[in-house]
Amino acid sequence: MSRASTSLWIILLLCAGVYSEKNINGCYKNPCMNSGVCENQEGKYKCHCSQERQNGHLYGGPNCTVLLLGCERHWCQNGATCSPYLNEGRHRYSCICPEGFTGTKCQSSTTFSFEENGFMQVRTPLTNVFEPLNVTLSFRTLQTNATLLQCQVEDQLLTLELVNGTLRHTLQRDQDTEVILIELPLMVSDGQWHTVKASLHDNVLGLSLKDLSCPAVTCNIELQIDRAEPELGSGLSESTVIQNIYIGGTREQETASNFLGCMQDVWINSHVVVPGSGPLAPIKQFNVVQDCSDGDQCKKNPCQNRGRCIKTGWRSFSCECHRPYEGEQCLDEYVTARFGSEDLESYAMFTVEDNPGVSFTLSMFVRTRRSQGLLLILSNSTTQYLRVWLEGGKVKVQINNFESLLGWETVSDGHFHLITVLVEPESLTLFLSAKSQGRIPIRRVHIQAGDAVHVGGLPSRQASLVFGGYLKGCIQDLRLNTRRLQFYPITVPVSSYRLENMLKVTRGCTGDDSCSNNPCLNGGVCYSMWDDFTCSCPPNTAGQRCEEVRWCELSPCPSTAICQADSQGFDCVANVSLHAKSPIITYRGNGKIWRTLSNISIHFRSRQQNGTLLHAEQESQFITISIQDGRLVLELRGDKGTSHIRVQSFDLVNDGRWHKADFSMDSPAIQTSRWRMVLDEHWENPSVSFTTSADLDFLKERVDIFLGGLGFDSGSNLAGCLGLVKIGGLVLSYYSDAEINLPRPQTEQFLRTSGSPYLGCWGSNVCKPDPCQNGGVCEDLFNIFNCRCPADWEGHRCELSANSCASNPCVHGTCRMVTGRYECSCDVGYTGQHCEVEVDVCAHHKCSNGGTCVRGLKRYACLCPRNTTGPFCRERVPEFPWYINRFPYPKLPVSVCGNEKWNYSCFNGGNCSSVEDTCNCLPGFIGQWCELDLDECASDPCLNGGFCRNLINRFQCLCEMSFAGDHCQIDVSDFYIYVFLLLWQNIFQLLSYLILRLDDDPEIEWNAFNDD
């Protein structure tokens, strides 16, 4: 009944038009606010609130009007995005995790890496063997071949792998003979993150790659496969099916397919796989590291042999290798070529196969110990246009047969050196180990295909000798620009020129065995070095081959001699004494002297005026070195036909001191030459002969050489000592081989033929008896003596008293001792041996016209009469005009000054001064003793013809009749004025006459000199 009622009402409403379209649209009123989208739901609506912020806020609720506050205090981590929402009226939030993180707060990292070969194993039970498999993962690697994931369920094996840098998904069943696979073409082994999805569901094998650069048609493939039926009678129920999944590899052993790189967000059937935790925690894992490090491979120093590691991307690098190394890790070294092994003639030739042009670089490593040898020649069919060879151990480059450049550093030291020749259109530069050796301008050269490169030598031996012969050494890493010239190729593929010919060039850089012929002498042990050797010498030898015996370390000489090393042996050096009764010392050559005898040196000491040091003669040839009149003399006549020469020293040599004389030919290379004498090594002041003579080769054999005399019969005529004597550098030894500890090894020798000389330098015993007196000590100075006197005595024999001045023998002077006697230094004005005589300076004075001589210190002065003046009273005083009356000078007192040794006078009222021999003068007087009147009229102060009269400390002008005033400057030609002035003048003259008396005392003028 109720159903019938309802139906009836509906029909009525439809008929009435009440149930219209407008009444059933719930969104017609736009109930959703804040950009919410309304969804009509059969008369109702649902608001889908916008996820875009409106005025900076998100809204929710039925009508999107509620401000969402759930994210105000959210705990989302690792950069996750917080998404707020309402749940039953409560504000909540959820975290949208970025790639690589998971968890409610995105707190767990899903990223892990395989730094070394490793794997993770995940085991899950399945209720059905055909249960679908969905795997999603992101990976990052540089490997081109690796296993990402394997899933095995009974006999079914599903594999996701990289093959040649692309993705492959395969399915293999035991009952199937073929492998089912899907491949994507995009290269993914680039170190970037890639996300891949592999699936097997409802007999559909799927593989997709999420990559914006790859369209869905290409990177999303599904393949329909036949359903596999389970084997009958397997004995396993569906609940016991186990699914084994291996990630990154399949076992602990290292295989080529193990994955090396990073993975993240690995999802298997909606479950994330994280190492060590989670519902799909691995039951086994090996070499798995949390997170994905940048993995800077350069930190592991993969580049060997000083190669420079350059990071090129994520976990990728490249090696910048130093020469001569190549390869990914600079492990491949260019093979070194050995030239001239065991002194064989070797060379190689290459052909240029491209066109380097006019600018090119030629470089190579070279190792050698030879200072000469050909390195390289570039040539074409007509000429050799570039040559490189060694000259004097240095690199020389020649281009176009003319322009040459020689380096300044030596390369023949047995070490490798990088030689670089840079040729530019107008210049050539040579480098040695990147250091410039110079640059020269050149004419342009052009290398073309087909040109030849000869290395180490040329096929023609004669042509190679022009450049010092074939190279003996090693060459490595020879390059022309970037093309290599390899003698023995390396495994690394490089661009090289073709080797046309190679003769006796061996592989490697092994040196010759330099010890094979035992080069070390005197028991030295040879050690081979590269193309060289070194000798370990016994303690008493030296030199590269132990050829130098250190004879003096063997103590070959007696205690009376000093050992002196020689280039061929040793000599025992000593001094000998000679006197009138000593035998002459004689020598002869041993017949093995081959050198030219062109010089003599001799050390000697004597006080003798005349004596012979050395003499030898053979027929007309002779040599004599002697002391004549105290000077050294060389007399010589060489071969027949040469003149007699004589050289004499400039200085005396008979002073008892040691002297060294060197005699030598000016030009020993020619037959005759002047001879020179150098005394005591004053080479700048030699004595040279005027004529020439030959050398001393007549002394080599069968000639007696005499020291200390002229011959056997004459005996010694030298009193003195001889030291080291050399003829042509050969020592005349005072010892025979029997008198020394070891025989001298020298081949060339002068042998002593006389008896043993008197060794040591001993003069006459001049201190016996003692010649010194008064306690003096005698000193022997070789044939003369010296007395060291006590303090109170002096003289040659200490015979004079050193206190002769104690009695004060000097009357007017100071006593001092001079070489055993005293001497008086007299005071001024006294002379004589004891300063007892006073010097009379007026004895021969020159005062004229009755002038009186006045004595002074070491000089005199003339006291002149009134009518004369001047130093010697020879000048007349001018007469006064007739109308001027003479004013007498006042008579001023004279003061007597001085002491008991000397007195003097101060004239014209002068007083004695505290300064010795001077006076304090009154105004108007000057001079040492105030003897000169200062002439106030010298400046001519009187005008208009007035006469100036010099007075004491002033002057007076006597004017003409028409002038008056102190300087006669007033004109008085008017009569009244004239009369007045005339009367005044007469009155003044009268008063002056009454006051002053005429004084005829003479005037004193001192002469500053004692002659005219």
Side-chain angles (χ1 to χ4, degrees), residues 26 62 187 215 284 404 410 412 425 427 430-431 502 528 566 584 592 645 672 676 679 795-796 848 903 905 955:
M187 293 292 296
K284 193 174 185 179
S404 298
T410 302
S412 57
S427 66
L430 174 64
F431 295 92
M502 188 166 65
S528 182
D566 183 79
I584 292 178
K592 299 178 182 179
I645 66 169
T672 62
R676 62 173 56 216
L679 191 62
H796 182 58
S848 303
N903 57 71
S905 299
F955 67 90

Side-chain angles (χ1 to χ4, degrees), residues 638-658:
D639 290 340
K640 294 180 180 180
T642 59
S643 59
H644 170 267
I645 66 169
R646 187 177 190 276
V647 185
Q648 178 176 299
S649 66
F650 298 114
D651 300 325
L652 296 175
V653 295
N654 62 335
D655 53 4
R657 299 178 180 176
W658 278 106

Side-chain angles (χ1 to χ4, degrees), residues 23-86:
N23 293 330
I24 64 175
N25 186 0
C27 293
Y28 78 97
K29 292 184 179 180
N30 295 322
C32 299
M33 309 302 292
N34 297 307
S35 301
V37 178
C38 182
E39 178 184 355
N40 183 27
Q41 294 183 344
E42 298 178 355
K44 296 181 181 180
Y45 65 90
K46 181 180 180 180
C47 289
H48 298 280
C49 299
S50 174
Q51 298 300 312
E52 298 290 335
R53 292 183 178 272
Q54 306 297 320
N55 300 320
H57 301 285
L58 291 176
Y59 293 89
N63 296 321
C64 302
T65 57
V66 180
L67 183 65
L68 299 180
L69 304 175
C71 287
E72 289 188 353
R73 295 181 179 180
H74 72 86
W75 295 92
C76 297
Q77 303 175 23
N78 298 307
T81 302
C82 180
S83 176
Y85 64 93
L86 283 175

Side-chain angles (χ1 to χ4, degrees), residues 324 326 332-336 476-477 479 484 486 490 494:
E326 289 282 3
D332 296 280
E333 182 180 3
Y334 285 101
V335 180
T336 305
Q476 185 182 24
D477 194 7
R479 301 185 184 187
R484 277 64 165 174
Q486 296 192 77
I490 59 175
V494 292

Side-chain angles (χ1 to χ4, degrees), residues 210-232:
K210 296 180 181 179
D211 195 299
L212 296 178
S213 62
C214 186
V217 178
T218 304
C219 291
N220 189 2
I221 300 177
E222 292 183 345
L223 180 64
Q224 185 74 33
I225 59 175
D226 295 335
R227 180 180 179 88
E229 297 296 336
E231 296 183 1
L232 296 176

Side-chain angles (χ1 to χ4, degrees), residues 165-409:
T166 62
L167 284 167
R168 176 185 291 181
H169 189 196
T170 61
L171 175 64
Q172 186 175 6
R173 298 168 179 158
D174 289 346
Q175 67 270 26
D176 294 338
T177 57
E178 296 182 355
V179 177
I180 303 171
L181 60 87
I182 301 174
E183 290 183 322
L184 299 181
L186 186 68
M187 293 292 296
V188 292
S189 298
D190 55 2
Q192 304 297 323
W193 284 105
H194 297 279
T195 301
V196 61
K197 179 179 180 182
S199 62
L200 177 60
H201 180 64
D202 294 336
N203 297 327
V204 175
L205 185 68
L207 178 65
S208 63
L209 178 67
K210 296 180 181 179
D211 195 299
L212 296 178
S213 62
C214 186
V217 178
T218 304
C219 291
N220 189 2
I221 300 177
E222 292 183 345
L223 180 64
Q224 185 74 33
I225 59 175
D226 295 335
R227 180 180 179 88
E229 297 296 336
E231 296 183 1
L232 296 176
S234 60
L236 297 174
S237 63
E238 293 183 354
S239 61
T240 61
V241 176
I242 300 300
Q243 177 180 260
N244 283 313
I245 299 177
Y246 293 89
I247 301 172
T250 58
R251 58 184 61 89
E252 296 182 12
Q253 290 78 12
E254 180 179 344
T255 62
S257 63
N258 282 44
F259 175 79
L260 297 178
C262 299
M263 290 187 181
Q264 67 181 15
D265 297 336
V266 180
W267 294 84
I268 300 176
N269 295 331
S270 303
H271 294 288
V272 65
V273 178
V274 180
S277 64
L280 289 182
I283 63 171
K284 193 174 185 179
Q285 62 185 41
F286 179 71
N287 283 340
V288 181
V289 179
Q290 193 70 37
D291 296 327
C292 180
S293 65
D294 185 13
D296 187 358
Q297 299 300 308
C298 287
K299 294 181 179 179
K300 300 178 181 179
N301 298 320
C303 303
Q304 305 300 311
N305 298 303
R306 300 182 299 112
R308 178 170 171 259
C309 184
I310 301 174
K311 184 178 178 181
T312 57
W314 179 81
R315 294 191 179 182
S316 63
F317 67 94
S318 65
C319 290
E320 187 179 90
C321 301
H322 287 281
R323 296 178 63 178
Y325 295 96
E326 289 282 3
E328 292 183 0
Q329 294 183 335
C330 306
L331 292 173
D332 296 280
E333 182 180 3
Y334 285 101
V335 180
T336 305
R338 169 67 166 164
F339 292 79
S341 178
E342 301 298 336
D343 295 325
L344 296 176
E345 297 177 354
S346 56
Y347 64 89
M349 188 186 76
F350 297 84
T351 299
V352 179
E353 298 172 330
D354 57 359
N355 292 287
V358 296
S359 296
F360 57 92
T361 301
L362 188 68
S363 61
M364 59 185 142
F365 286 96
V366 175
R367 182 186 187 187
T368 184
R369 290 192 187 275
R370 292 285 179 89
S371 60
Q372 295 180 334
L374 179 61
L375 295 177
L376 182 143
I377 286 182
L378 279 172
S379 63
N380 51 32
S381 59
T382 59
T383 183
Q384 299 173 354
Y385 55 85
L386 180 63
R387 300 162 175 159
V388 185
W389 73 96
L390 296 176
E391 184 176 290
K394 302 173 182 177
V395 181
K396 188 170 185 178
V397 184
Q398 186 182 74
I399 195 166
N400 294 322
N401 298 320
F402 291 103
E403 298 92 346
S404 298
L405 175 61
L406 180 65
W408 51 272
E409 289 191 38

Side-chain angles (χ1 to χ4, degrees), residues 706-985:
F706 304 99
L707 294 182
L710 294 172
F712 293 109
D713 300 332
S714 64
S716 175
N717 62 1
L718 176 68
C721 297
L722 292 178
L724 184 63
V725 180
K726 289 184 179 181
I727 300 178
L730 300 177
V731 176
L732 276 64
S733 178
Y734 300 126
Y735 297 89
S736 65
D737 285 350
E739 297 169 340
I740 57 180
N741 302 328
L742 292 174
R744 292 190 298 160
Q746 294 97 313
T747 303
E748 304 173 282
Q749 292 186 32
F750 284 104
L751 302 177
R752 196 190 78 204
T753 57
S754 60
S756 298
Y758 187 44
L759 295 173
C761 183
W762 311 99
S764 302
N765 196 349
V766 293
C767 289
K768 296 295 183 180
D770 192 352
C772 302
Q773 305 174 17
N774 300 309
V777 179
C778 181
E779 294 179 334
D780 190 341
L781 299 180
F782 190 73
N783 292 338
I784 64 170
F785 66 89
N786 176 58
C787 291
R788 286 192 291 111
C789 302
D792 296 338
W793 298 94
E794 58 187 8
H796 182 58
R797 298 175 182 268
C798 305
E799 73 278 9
L800 299 175
S801 173
N803 199 17
S804 301
C805 290
S807 59
N808 296 324
C810 303
V811 180
H812 296 286
T814 303
C815 179
R816 63 188 182 93
M817 296 301 299
V818 180
T819 62
R821 61 183 180 87
Y822 69 88
E823 184 180 87
C824 290
S825 177
C826 298
D827 295 337
V828 177
Y830 294 92
T831 186
Q833 183 178 359
H834 298 91
C835 305
E836 73 280 6
V837 180
E838 185 177 359
V839 178
D840 187 5
V841 294
C842 288
H844 302 285
H845 73 86
K846 297 181 180 180
C847 299
S848 303
N849 298 313
T852 303
C853 178
V854 179
R855 291 180 176 83
L857 290 174
K858 292 186 181 181
R859 60 180 178 172
Y860 65 90
C862 293
L863 191 59
C864 301
R866 175 56 59 185
N867 58 340
T868 61
T869 187
F872 300 105
C873 305
R874 296 176 182 175
E875 301 176 12
R876 295 288 182 180
V877 176
E879 294 292 338
F880 290 104
W882 59 271
Y883 52 84
I884 298 176
N885 295 326
R886 292 176 60 90
F887 282 78
Y889 284 95
K891 187 173 183 179
L892 300 176
V894 176
S895 301
V896 178
C897 306
N899 50 36
E900 66 279 2
K901 290 186 177 181
W902 167 255
N903 57 71
Y904 60 94
S905 299
C906 293
F907 298 95
N908 296 312
N911 294 320
C912 302
S913 173
S914 59
V915 181
E916 187 178 359
D917 298 339
T918 58
C919 299
N920 294 328
C921 303
L922 292 176
F925 296 96
I926 59 174
Q928 184 176 4
W929 298 292
C930 308
E931 71 277 12
L932 299 177
D933 179 19
L934 183 63
D935 187 5
E936 285 82 7
C937 291
S939 61
D940 197 13
C942 301
L943 305 176
N944 299 308
F947 179 80
C948 181
R949 185 174 186 180
N950 182 33
L951 300 177
I952 298 175
N953 198 31
R954 65 185 181 88
F955 67 90
Q956 180 185 13
C957 288
L958 304 178
C959 305
E960 294 290 341
M961 296 297 292
S962 300
F963 296 92
D966 292 340
H967 297 276
C968 303
Q969 75 277 17
I970 303 173
D971 186 3
V972 292
S973 55
D974 185 83
F975 176 77
Y976 296 105
I977 296 176
Y978 175 77
V979 173
F980 174 77
L981 292 176
L982 182 60
L983 292 176
W984 172 251
Q985 181 179 8

Side-chain angles (χ1 to χ4, degrees), residues 351-356 448-451 483 496-500:
T351 299
V352 179
E353 298 172 330
D354 57 359
N355 292 287
Q448 297 179 339
D451 289 356
R483 298 286 294 269
S496 302
Y497 287 129
R498 184 174 70 254
L499 176 65
E500 297 289 346

